[in-house]
Amino acid sequence: MGCGASIYAVGKRKKKTNIPEVVVYVPSMRIPAQSDLQRPLRGLIPHDLVDRLGCLRNQIVLVAEDTGGSAVAELRRALEEYLPLLIGLTKKEHGLEDLVEFKWKNLEDGRLENSVANSWFELLSVIHMLAMLHLSEANSLMIPKDHSGSGIRVVSSDCKRDSVDLLLKASGCLVFCVHEIMAHLPPDIKKKFSRDFQDGALEAISIQALGQGTEIQLGLAVESQKASLSVKRRLACEQLIYFGQAYHFLSESGMSNMHGKKHLCFIKWKFLEAKAAAYYYHGLILDKGTEPACHVTAVCCFLAADGLLSESKKACFTFCLTAPVTRSPPLWGAMKHLTQKIPEVAARKSQMYGYLLEEEKALQALPDLPDFQLSLAPDDYILPEIDSAWDRSKWEIQSQPLKEHLEDSEDEAETE
């Protein structure tokens, strides 16, 4: 399930191969693995509180394993119900931060990724999973099912706007992980994390989500008769900046595993598409000038856009074939329009102003794209209030001396 949640079966053999289709890239998801909360917390907090923590965590495990992570709404509800209880374990006054060893595994292959005795790590993992669920839902909304059998799939404007909202939520969750949770984790624990769970990789996914939100907005602008060329150029340039930043963070994080390579291929593909769109719209604006130099520079932009479009198609092909194999969706958004428009305009304008290109060879330089302040920002993620079950004044704990607590733990360990 490393990339997206919408699956289409292909092939005619008995055993069909499911190849996921990707609009919004979803990194490989982590889910909780079975962990023992009862033994380390027994006698330290009320029994019913321990039971609730264990039951809610087990519910997340079961739903994720049974549905392969596709039950997004149910998983999100379970995580949001678990969070207020989990927050209590991170409070210093309770002294429970390092008692429970929390285990998380990769959803796709079941491989255990981390086993860490730190409740801040558990909080980090839960909010990271929320972010991945937001991305997965955004991807599903952008891949409609064709129930008519016509082969024509239309994504409604409402679905596109909902997808943008989900992308901003995902970005906000990841920003919270990097800036609010990582600071509570000791360096020796963070060193044990895989590279795709380090600060740089999380930053990259957060920025990529903003880039994809801008990509959807550009598609909406292209479909709107009210959107000006300046607005379209601005959105394309912003999209280019986001994907450029995401590529920088991800490549700096040293991602070399299977999903890391595929993730870099995806961002490169989207970066090239955005750059082609930015130069195309910049060329259209320059071409409105009256000086010969304006037309020459515009043609340079159109030709650059045409070359970048060809590169982006190759990058898309490379992304799809890089393991795990995925499918790109039918053309959508701005690229549905630009894939045809860019070659047409480049050919027509270079022919129209061919004589100027010969006369003004000194002016044949690709101009810099304008720099814009970025419009989209992550939604602020706010932790829920701590559950009232952590109110010590209401606790009734059957007292158990620490020595007995430790002896019980040793006895149980011997019987395993």
Side-chain angles (χ1 to χ4, degrees):
M1 302 293 176
C3 310
S6 297
I7 309 290
Y8 290 82
V10 297
K12 295 182 180 179
R13 296 178 183 177
K14 271 189 175 181
K15 189 174 181 181
K16 294 183 179 180
T17 302
N18 290 328
I19 301 178
E21 189 172 324
V22 179
V23 174
V24 173
Y25 186 85
V26 186
S28 186
M29 192 182 294
R30 288 175 170 79
I31 63 169
Q34 292 291 344
S35 303
D36 182 7
L37 277 69
Q38 293 282 346
R39 186 187 305 167
L41 295 176
R42 183 190 302 150
L44 301 176
I45 60 176
H47 184 70
D48 61 337
L49 179 52
V50 180
D51 282 347
R52 283 181 65 197
L53 278 163
C55 286
L56 283 171
R57 195 176 193 277
N58 289 337
Q59 181 185 349
I60 297 165
V61 174
L62 291 173
V63 173
E65 289 180 342
D66 287 349
T67 66
S70 62
V72 173
E74 192 176 348
L75 280 170
R76 189 159 53 219
R77 279 195 300 272
L79 289 167
E80 289 170 351
E81 195 176 348
Y82 177 53
L83 269 171
L85 288 172
L86 172 61
I87 290 168
L89 291 177
T90 67
K91 300 297 181 183
K92 283 187 177 180
E93 58 266 30
H94 297 138
L96 306 171
E97 290 179 61
D98 305 322
L99 288 185
V100 179
E101 185 171 9
F102 293 102
K103 298 176 182 180
W104 284 72
K105 63 184 179 181
N106 186 288
L107 175 61
E108 188 171 342
D109 57 19
R111 175 174 45 87
L112 187 68
E113 295 219 344
N114 289 107
S115 180
V116 179
N118 188 293
S119 54
W120 283 101
F121 163 74
E122 177 79 346
L123 186 63
L124 173 72
S125 300
V126 167
I127 297 176
H128 178 271
M129 186 176 176
L130 272 176
M132 297 303 105
L133 291 172
H134 290 320
L135 293 176
S136 181
E137 186 176 0
N139 185 62
S140 295
L141 286 174
M142 294 299 294
I143 305 177
K145 293 177 175 61
D146 172 34
H147 298 293
S148 67
S150 66
I152 299 172
R153 303 187 304 170
V154 178
V155 182
S156 70
S157 295
D158 286 342
C159 280
K160 291 174 184 177
R161 293 188 183 96
D162 289 344
S163 293
V164 173
D165 290 341
L166 287 163
L167 288 163
L168 297 184
K169 286 180 182 179
S171 182
C173 287
L174 294 165
V175 167
F176 187 87
C177 287
V178 172
H179 298 291
E180 302 297 331
I181 300 180
M182 283 291 195
H184 294 278
L185 289 162
D188 60 315
I189 287 179
K190 287 194 280 190
K191 284 180 182 176
K192 297 176 184 177
F193 294 168
S194 55
R195 290 192 182 276
D196 57 349
F197 217 52
Q198 300 289 343
D199 291 12
L202 298 182
E203 288 268 21
I205 304 167
S206 173
I207 296 168
Q208 169 207 311
L210 299 178
Q212 296 214 252
T214 308
E215 178 185 16
I216 296 171
Q217 287 186 329
L218 176 58
L220 289 168
V222 170
E223 293 167 5
S224 171
Q225 294 181 346
K226 296 179 180 179
S228 65
L229 282 178
S230 296
V231 168
K232 295 170 188 174
R233 179 181 65 175
R234 180 189 180 105
L235 288 169
C237 288
E238 288 184 23
Q239 184 187 340
L240 176 63
I241 294 168
Y242 284 127
F243 283 118
Q245 291 177 352
Y247 191 88
H248 169 75
F249 275 109
L250 197 62
S251 56
E252 287 292 310
S253 67
M255 296 272 287
S256 58
N257 63 3
M258 178 172 65
H259 287 291
K261 288 179 182 177
K262 190 168 187 71
H263 198 169
L264 281 168
C265 287
F266 178 82
I267 295 176
K268 181 180 179 182
W269 165 33
K270 292 298 170 181
F271 175 86
L272 290 168
E273 281 190 347
K275 197 167 185 179
Y279 270 115
Y280 172 72
Y281 288 119
H282 191 45
L284 290 180
I285 290 172
L286 291 173
D287 199 39
K288 289 181 179 294
T290 55
E291 296 296 323
C294 297
H295 302 308
V296 171
T297 309
V299 172
C300 290
C301 289
F302 296 139
L303 293 173
D306 194 29
L308 288 162
L309 183 64
S310 297
E311 285 185 52
S312 74
K313 291 175 182 176
K314 294 175 185 175
C316 173
F317 188 68
T318 301
F319 163 72
C320 290
L321 292 184
T322 301
V325 174
T326 50
R327 303 169 62 187
S328 63
L331 289 170
W332 65 278
M335 296 315 295
K336 185 177 181 180
H337 170 75
L338 296 180
T339 298
Q340 179 180 351
K341 216 55 188 164
I342 288 175
E344 285 181 0
V345 173
R348 188 174 72 250
K349 293 292 183 178
S350 58
Q351 187 176 13
M352 184 184 300
Y353 297 118
Y355 71 97
L356 284 176
L357 290 172
E358 288 298 320
E359 293 174 5
E360 306 287 350
K361 288 185 178 180
L363 298 175
Q364 291 184 35
L366 193 62
D368 291 332
L369 290 166
D371 196 13
F372 294 104
Q373 187 174 354
L374 299 174
S375 304
L376 284 187
D379 279 356
D380 290 333
Y381 178 79
I382 301 173
L383 277 178
E385 294 290 328
I386 188 171
D387 195 282
S388 59
W390 286 98
D391 184 354
R392 281 174 173 266
S393 64
K394 299 177 182 176
W395 283 8
E396 291 181 9
I397 304 175
Q398 293 181 351
S399 60
Q400 182 183 32
L402 179 60
K403 184 178 179 182
E404 291 181 23
H405 176 77
L406 295 173
E407 286 175 353
D408 284 350
S409 297
E410 289 172 2
D411 290 342
E412 289 183 13
E414 289 173 4
T415 60
E416 289 181 351

